[in-house]
Amino acid sequence: MNAALRKLWMSRSPRERLVIGVLAALLAAAAYPWLLVAADRARGQLGESVAALRTQAALLEQRAAEYQRLRAAPAPPASPTDLRTLVRTHVEAARLSGAVTLLEAPDAQHVRIAFGALPFADWLGWVAALQAQHVHLEAARVEALAAPGLVSASATFVRAGGS
C-alpha cells in the first residue's frame, strides 16, 4: 500500500504536490490550537472528576472503618425485661397505644402485635427503636389504608439471639 501511495504522490505535478503540502501544513496549523483547547478542557474535567472521586473514596473509607468498628464491638446485652413489656413500653413511648389491636407473646422470645391504623413514618420509627434494643422484626404485613400516609400493620418480633 505504501508503494501505491508513493506512486500516486509522484504522479502529481510538482506544483500540485506543493499546493497539497501547503494546504496540509495550514490545516495542521489551524487544527493544533483547537486540539490544545480540547485537551485542556478535557484535562480540567478529569481533574474535577478526580477530586470528586477522591472525596467519595475518603467517605467510603470512613464508612468502612465505622462498619468494621461496629462489627467488632460486642453487642450490648439484651434488656432483661420481658419482651412483651419492652414492646409495650416502646408502644407507649411512641404514643401508638390507641392503634394497637393485638399484643401477645406466644413464648419468651417472640411478640406478635397488630395496629389498626397508624402513620407509616411512625411505624418505621417504632420498628427502628425496637431494633436499637436488639428486638428484630421476624415477619411483618403492612397494608396501605385509604387515608394518605396511614397503614395497617401486624408483625412478629424476636429478641436478638432468639429464633
Side-chain angles (χ1 to χ4, degrees):
M1 174 128 178
N2 194 15
L5 286 176
R6 184 168 175 79
K7 184 177 180 182
L8 179 65
W9 178 253
M10 295 309 281
S11 71
R12 301 280 175 212
S13 70
R15 184 172 183 196
E16 287 176 335
R17 288 191 302 231
L18 178 66
V19 169
I20 292 171
V22 168
L23 288 175
L26 287 174
L27 181 63
Y32 185 72
W34 176 79
L35 287 172
L36 285 179
V37 168
D40 189 50
R41 186 179 319 124
R43 185 177 54 84
Q45 289 173 347
L46 285 174
E48 292 172 7
S49 296
V50 166
L53 288 172
R54 283 186 177 146
T55 302
Q56 289 176 355
L59 181 61
L60 185 60
E61 287 177 13
Q62 287 175 349
R63 288 181 179 168
E66 178 69 9
Y67 178 74
Q68 289 299 329
R69 185 187 68 75
L70 290 174
R71 283 191 65 135
S79 172
T81 61
D82 174 46
L83 185 57
R84 182 177 176 181
T85 305
L86 180 66
V87 170
R88 184 178 315 168
T89 303
H90 276 82
V91 166
E92 291 168 359
R95 296 187 177 117
L96 300 175
S97 300
V100 174
T101 59
L102 169 75
L103 179 58
E104 65 181 15
D107 59 47
Q109 296 299 321
H110 293 85
V111 169
R112 279 189 288 230
I113 190 166
F115 294 94
L118 75 160
F120 185 63
D122 291 352
W123 160 254
L124 290 177
W126 181 75
V127 169
L130 280 176
Q131 287 178 340
Q133 294 295 314
H134 302 284
V135 176
H136 299 286
L137 186 61
E138 185 175 63
R141 179 194 54 78
V142 179
E143 294 179 6
L145 298 178
L150 291 182
V151 296
S152 166
S154 63
T156 301
F157 288 92
V158 63
R159 188 180 295 277
S163 53

